[in-house]
C-alpha cells in the first residue's frame, strides 16, 4: 500500500531530522536499502566481466571462436549492468524519492510531446513560407 502525500512528507521530515541529529547512525541505516542492492549488483557485474575476459582468453587460446564470442557477450552484458547499476545508486546522504522514476518518466513524456508540437509548428511554418 503506497503512502499518501502527507505520510511521505512526514517520513521525509523524520529522515531529515535523523540526519541532522545523528548523521553517523543515519548513514549506517542508509546502507540497508537500495544503495546496498545497487552496490551488490555492480560488484556482481564486475565479477561477471572478469569471467567474460577469462572466457574470451580461453576461446583465443583454444582457438574456439564461439567461446570468445560468448566471453565478449558476457563482458558486454556485465558492463551494461555495472553502468546502469552505478547510475541508479543514490549518492551518499541522498534518499531516493518515492516517485522519482515515475516523475522522470512523466517529464520525459511531456518533453517529447513538446518536441513533437514544436516540430509540427516548424513544419507548418516551413510549408507556408515555401508556397
Amino acid at each position: 500500500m503506497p503512502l499518501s502525500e502527507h505520510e511521505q512528507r512526514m517520513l521525509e521530515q523524520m529522515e531529515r531530522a535523523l540526519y541532522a541529529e545523528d548523521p553517523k547512525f543515519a548513514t549506517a541505516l542508509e546502507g540497508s536499502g537500495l544503495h546496498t542492492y545497487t552496490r551488490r549488483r555492480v560488484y556482481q557485474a564486475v565479477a561477471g566481466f572478469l569471467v567474460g575476459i577469462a572466457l574470451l582468453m580461453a576461446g583465443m587460446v583454444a582457438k574456439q571462436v564461439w567461446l570468445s564470442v560468448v566471453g565478449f557477450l558476457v563482458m558486454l552484458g556485465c558492463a551494461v549492468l555495472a553502468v546502469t547499476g552505478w547510475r541508479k545508486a543514490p549518492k551518499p546522504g541522498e534518499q531516493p524519492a518515492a516517485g522519482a522514476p515515475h516523475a522522470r518518466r512523466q517529464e520525459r513524456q511531456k518533453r517529447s510531446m513538446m518536441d513533437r508540437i514544436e516540430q509540427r509548428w516548424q513544419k507548418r511554418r516551413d510549408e507556408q513560407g515555401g508556397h
Side-chain angles (χ1 to χ4, degrees), residues 35-128:
H35 186 69
T36 301
Y37 170 74
T38 53
R39 187 179 336 144
R40 186 179 319 131
R41 182 176 169 187
V42 169
Y43 289 152
Q44 289 171 348
V46 168
F49 188 84
L50 295 174
V51 169
I53 289 175
L55 287 173
L56 181 80
M57 298 305 270
M60 291 174 68
V61 169
K63 296 185 181 175
Q64 298 291 325
V65 175
W66 65 272
L67 188 59
S68 295
V69 170
V70 169
F72 176 76
L73 292 176
V74 168
M75 288 170 51
L76 184 64
C78 289
V80 168
L81 284 176
V83 169
T84 57
W86 189 266
R87 287 184 181 172
K88 289 180 183 179
K91 306 291 183 270
E94 175 185 46
Q95 291 294 322
H102 182 65
R104 277 190 231 124
R105 188 178 327 119
Q106 279 185 340
E107 183 181 341
R108 201 176 313 128
Q109 287 174 349
K110 286 180 184 178
R111 200 175 335 129
S112 64
M113 185 179 78
M114 289 302 293
D115 290 340
R116 286 190 308 235
I117 290 172
E118 288 176 4
Q119 288 173 354
R120 288 178 188 164
W121 177 258
Q122 189 68 22
K123 183 178 177 183
R124 287 182 188 150
R125 280 188 35 204
D126 292 343
E127 287 176 355
Q128 290 175 354

